Amino acid sequence: MTERQVRAGRGGPPYGMLRHGLRAGAADWLLARVPTPRRNPFALGYLAVVGATTTFAQLADPDLVLRLQEASSSDGHNLLQHPLRALLLSGFWVAGPNWVPYLWAFALTVAPLERRVGPARAAAVFAAGHIGATLLSQGVVVVGVEAGRLEPAAMDYLDIGVSYGVLASLGALAGLLRPGGRVVALGLAAALIAGQIAEDRDLVTGVGHPAALLAGVVLWRWLRRRDGYRPRRTRLGVLAGRPRSAPAPASAPAVTAASAAGRAAVLERL
């Protein structure tokens, strides 16, 4: 290799190895965050169900789809008559004909949370946000109807979607990030919620979306106690890389012997 090639950084040490290391590091970083069935069984499984219902809604008879969605809706009447069915099935539909935005939403919120805390706890966060925000928002609707501030038809408005679970996952994930990342995540979530409220001007959205985000924030302490996988591996790796030091008890006899010899010499002089 000529000096010109080395100066140009065409593979000579250390330039070529440095460039290779940067490329490999970036690729490893990206590959480690790509959702896979092993890393993200909950996120990918849920997306598969939502994708199936979205495809069915596009291909099936519109009247049949509407009847199924109305039966699955978590509106006030369904919650009073069939609460378990409404809370469970309402989260398996998306509000609209396109589920690609939810693909990105899961990839940026549910999947990273699942990698940090595991599928069971990620599912618990998602369910807590979906159920808690649904009950709170529809409770406000029921109270408004009973008080005469809302029309009775508000009890039958279609209420389906996965946005509550996604926002709860985002709020929970923010608590596991560093302070700078936490501020950015919560700021983006607040801006998104404010934009949706300003655009829709819907009572259920205005109550449910902030409640879902706060549900994830409330779970910070519970999740932090269980976010121990990566830090433990790091600490073990650091400890494993340290050289072994000589055991302390082995040096103690030598010190004791030296002290005894010194005392004997003093006594002889006396």
Side-chain angles (χ1 to χ4, degrees), residues 252-270:
V255 175
T256 304
S259 301
R263 287 196 298 269
V266 172
L267 291 176
E268 289 179 0
R269 292 175 183 174
L270 295 175

Side-chain angles (χ1 to χ4, degrees), residues 144-242:
V145 171
E146 292 294 330
R149 295 181 177 272
L150 296 175
E151 56 182 357
M155 295 278 290
D156 295 316
Y157 290 162
L158 192 67
D159 188 14
I160 57 174
V162 298
S163 58
Y164 293 161
V166 170
L167 286 171
S169 300
L170 177 57
L173 178 63
L176 305 179
L177 301 177
R178 294 181 179 180
R182 187 178 312 146
V183 171
V184 172
L186 293 178
L188 290 175
L192 177 64
I193 292 173
Q196 290 174 337
I197 294 175
E199 181 180 356
D200 295 341
R201 297 186 178 275
D202 179 65
L203 177 62
V204 174
T205 300
V207 175
H209 284 184
L213 182 66
L214 289 176
V217 173
V218 169
L219 296 174
W220 280 2
R221 189 172 182 179
W222 176 67
L223 292 174
R224 284 170 178 170
R225 291 200 302 265
R226 290 158 175 80
D227 181 34
Y229 304 107
R230 189 174 63 183
R232 286 174 188 166
R233 285 200 298 266
T234 303
R235 288 196 295 268
L236 288 175
V238 172
L239 292 176
R242 292 180 181 174

Side-chain angles (χ1 to χ4, degrees), residues 70-90:
E70 288 177 347
S72 305
S73 173
S74 56
D75 55 69
H77 277 151
N78 275 349
L79 285 176
L80 293 175
Q81 297 175 3
H82 309 285
L84 294 180
R85 185 187 71 186
L87 289 173
L88 177 63
L89 298 183
S90 61

Side-chain angles (χ1 to χ4, degrees), residues 16-38:
M17 290 185 292
L18 178 60
R19 293 189 313 164
H20 176 73
L22 291 175
R23 290 198 300 268
D28 291 342
W29 188 89
L30 290 174
L31 290 175
R33 284 155 180 79
V34 174
T36 63
R38 184 176 180 179

Side-chain angles (χ1 to χ4, degrees), residues 32-108:
R33 284 155 180 79
V34 174
T36 63
R38 184 176 180 179
R39 296 183 194 134
N40 300 108
F42 170 69
L44 294 181
Y46 206 103
L47 275 175
V49 174
V50 172
T53 58
T54 305
T55 304
F56 174 80
Q58 293 176 346
L59 300 178
D61 179 66
D63 293 334
L64 174 61
V65 172
L66 180 59
R67 289 197 301 269
L68 290 176
Q69 289 182 344
E70 288 177 347
S72 305
S73 173
S74 56
D75 55 69
H77 277 151
N78 275 349
L79 285 176
L80 293 175
Q81 297 175 3
H82 309 285
L84 294 180
R85 185 187 71 186
L87 289 173
L88 177 63
L89 298 183
S90 61
F92 291 148
W93 302 86
V94 297
N98 188 8
W99 75 291
V100 174
Y102 298 97
L103 172 65
W104 289 106
F106 269 70
L108 296 176

